[in-house]
Amino acid sequence: MDAWEELVTSALLGTDRKPLTGSGRSGGDGAPVALLDAAAVHTVRRRAGLRPGPAAAPLEVAPEDGRRPLPEAARRRLGQLLAGRAAPAPSGGRRGAAPDLAELLPQWLAAANERGYGAPAAALPALLDAARARTDLRPQALAFAGPRGLWLARLNPEWKFALRGTGGGGMLPDPGDPDAVSALWEEGLFAERVALLSAVRAADPARGRELLASTWESERAEDRLMFLDSLRAGLGPADEEFLEAALSDRSRNVRATAAELLSALPASALAARMAERAVSCVSLDRTEGAETLVVEAPHECDAGMRHDGVTPTPPTGRGERSWWLGQLVEAAPLGCWPARFGGRTPEEIVALAVTDDWRGELHAAWCRAAVRQRDADWSRALLGAPAAPQATGPGTSSLAERAQLLSTLPEEERASWVASFIAAHGLSEAFQLLGVCAVPWSEPLGRAVVDALDIARDAGSYPWSFSGVMGLAERCLSPAAAPQLAALTALPAEAEDASPGAGAYWSEAFQRLVSTLELRAAMHAELSEGG
């Protein structure tokens, strides 16, 4: 038996049952010591005679990160945020008054990136782990990790997500280097090519379009669809010729996307064709002194309509004619309607009565057109006054549509509209609208939210009915509002008809809101220490 195997056997069975051969000690207290001595000698002998294996290839040196380092206080805060989780919920499912550190990490990363800081090398593993667990963190986390983060990600398969769309090695060629761009475009993986096309398109829209056109005919249909979507960035009249050609693509999805992009160009030939079709379906009737819009939806989806992206088969539950009408109106430039209706403004057009229950279909199509064409004037007309009955604005049938229309307005106007909506209707229907407002919220919008929360507290309802809005307030309310909220942290006197214990829940919720705002203020102050 091999000497090492004999040692292992004696160790497993015991020296009493399997004495060591030639040890001179067949049992007793000295046998275990003899076993250990023999094992030590044999281990040294084995190591001394071990032949070295082939040397591993040396690691590539980590690239330099030229960005400025974090201030010390900000570095400590990053460690807390990366290690932090929401405080354990007390009994009863309550969140407690402590801030949720995990929800503050995205804001911290955005602020650090805005100030041009680079990630500390020691924080990179935890940063990559956090980005692996949360896809919403990835863009900001990878930007903050920088070139060293991508270098490190190549060494751990669990971080391979960081390499997707970054050229595999973590770097895309300079969009101004035509040879490097062409090489990666011809030879790169699909994710690399998508990232490259987006980068080139952002730097030079014409060059990005030419790059796509150079291999368009040889691309797979699903790849053509993804590549075509990249033209949304920097879309302009120069793209019309390429998109017109894509209307004849063999893929239905590619044709539909090309038609959508062309309809976002009001001066395009497709937009003119759609305008001609759409205005022929809607006319102004002046019978008996009343002005009414009369709708005559298409009776067929002809070859020309199908070529221009109109889908002939409606979804289940939709009528064909209304389906075709909606697509025509949605794709027609909104500028064609004032000319059709005697120079009326969008507000005046939207206010006109519509015959035969076509109002909902017509206005919904105008809403989609306003969002697609980013037309603020039509969005205002379709939104109507914020004090109007909920979800029944002049041209909207849902708060989701209102949120989309709001996204086309300037930030200050958007916040003012939502603040007025909350003042009129409270918070129960405002969550979607708040989601499209710029962060941090403007002072009037923040005041409207806090006032509505205070009213809900006084009414005695439970705060978890407003947990979504409260969570938004923690992330979006200006930290300057913290001192004004201090009075709301006190335990309120509960009315007789109030929900049992609601006052304590509200006090805790406002304490958490105040402490979160104070922590956000501290975060920004720490990041500003470096100038």
Side-chain angles (χ1 to χ4, degrees), residues 61-403:
V61 177
E64 292 294 329
D65 190 341
R67 296 173 296 177
R68 56 181 180 153
L70 283 171
E72 185 58 33
R75 181 191 293 259
R76 291 194 299 269
R77 182 72 67 190
L78 173 62
Q80 294 171 1
L81 295 176
L82 288 172
R85 295 292 184 269
S91 59
R94 293 155 64 173
R95 280 185 55 195
D100 188 341
L101 298 183
E103 289 304 313
L104 292 177
L105 181 56
Q107 286 198 12
W108 189 97
L109 290 171
N113 286 330
E114 288 174 2
R115 291 169 170 80
Y117 289 115
L124 289 175
L127 185 65
L128 290 171
D129 279 340
R132 178 170 64 92
R134 291 179 56 181
T135 56
D136 63 306
L137 281 179
R138 290 181 184 179
Q140 294 287 2
L142 295 180
F144 183 59
R148 287 193 168 186
L150 295 174
W151 171 86
L152 187 62
R154 297 205 304 274
L155 306 179
N156 185 346
E158 292 188 347
W159 297 332
K160 62 183 179 181
F161 69 88
L163 305 178
R164 295 173 188 151
T166 60
M171 298 293 289
L172 289 173
D174 186 337
D177 184 345
D179 293 336
V181 168
S182 296
L184 183 58
W185 182 250
E186 294 288 345
E187 303 170 6
L189 300 175
F190 174 68
E192 297 171 340
R193 300 177 74 214
V194 170
L196 175 66
L197 181 59
S198 298
V200 174
R201 179 74 177 176
D204 185 346
R207 172 61 180 143
R209 183 181 64 254
E210 292 167 1
L211 191 66
L212 178 55
S214 67
T215 58
W216 179 258
E217 294 299 328
S218 62
E219 305 288 357
R220 300 182 305 167
E222 55 268 34
D223 294 351
R224 293 199 303 277
L225 181 62
M226 290 290 293
F227 290 142
L228 191 64
D229 199 62
S230 69
L231 297 187
R232 296 181 189 276
L235 182 67
D239 298 317
E240 182 180 358
E241 182 179 355
F242 180 83
L243 293 172
E244 274 284 346
L247 289 176
S248 301
D249 194 89
R250 54 189 179 273
S251 166
R252 179 176 59 83
N253 291 331
V254 171
R255 294 195 301 270
T257 300
E260 179 190 346
L261 293 173
L262 282 168
S263 67
L265 297 172
S268 68
L270 178 136
R273 296 193 296 269
M274 287 299 196
E276 183 178 358
R277 296 179 180 117
V279 299
S280 69
C281 296
V282 187
S283 58
L284 185 65
D285 182 62
R286 296 183 173 86
T287 304
E288 298 179 358
E291 295 184 323
T292 307
L293 295 182
V294 178
V295 175
E296 181 66 30
H299 290 275
E300 66 171 334
C301 184
D302 58 33
M305 291 167 60
R306 293 194 299 272
H307 174 270
D308 286 345
V310 176
T311 303
T313 305
T316 303
R318 288 288 300 274
E320 284 186 335
R321 297 183 66 199
S322 64
W323 173 244
W324 299 332
L325 173 72
Q327 293 180 81
L328 295 180
V329 174
E330 178 182 356
L334 289 163
C336 71
W337 299 109
R340 174 65 168 166
F341 302 131
R344 285 175 172 80
T345 65
E347 288 81 1
E348 293 169 336
I349 294 172
V350 168
L352 291 170
V354 184
T355 60
D356 299 330
D357 296 325
W358 283 105
R359 181 182 186 276
E361 187 68 51
L362 182 61
H363 285 191
W366 278 336
C367 285
R368 296 192 298 271
V371 173
R372 180 183 294 187
Q373 298 172 35
R374 313 305 296 172
D375 192 307
D377 290 335
W378 273 89
S379 291
R380 293 186 189 97
L382 293 161
L383 277 167
Q390 297 181 31
T392 57
T396 57
S397 59
S398 71
L399 286 165
E401 287 180 332
R402 282 186 161 186

Side-chain angles (χ1 to χ4, degrees), residues 19-39:
L20 288 178
T21 303
S23 66
R25 301 179 187 179
S26 59
D29 295 339
V33 175
L35 172 66
L36 294 175
D37 289 342

Side-chain angles (χ1 to χ4, degrees), residues 458-460 493-500:
D458 291 343
E494 294 189 2
E496 292 183 2
D497 57 347
S499 303

Side-chain angles (χ1 to χ4, degrees), residues 414-507:
R414 195 184 314 167
S416 176
W417 196 98
V418 177
S420 299
F421 179 93
I422 292 171
H425 306 295
L427 290 169
S428 59
E429 302 293 340
F431 185 78
Q432 288 178 294
L433 305 181
L434 287 168
V436 300
C437 293
V439 178
W441 290 336
S442 67
E443 193 276 333
L445 177 56
R447 185 174 62 250
V449 171
V450 172
D451 288 347
L453 289 171
D454 193 17
I455 291 171
R457 181 189 70 154
D458 291 343
S461 58
Y462 281 117
W464 55 67
S465 302
F466 303 92
S467 59
V469 174
M470 187 66 80
L472 276 178
E474 291 173 15
R475 299 188 295 274
C476 304
L477 199 61
S478 172
Q484 306 165 14
L485 292 167
L488 299 180
T489 62
L491 187 65
E494 294 189 2
E496 292 183 2
D497 57 347
S499 303
Y505 280 89
W506 275 110
S507 175

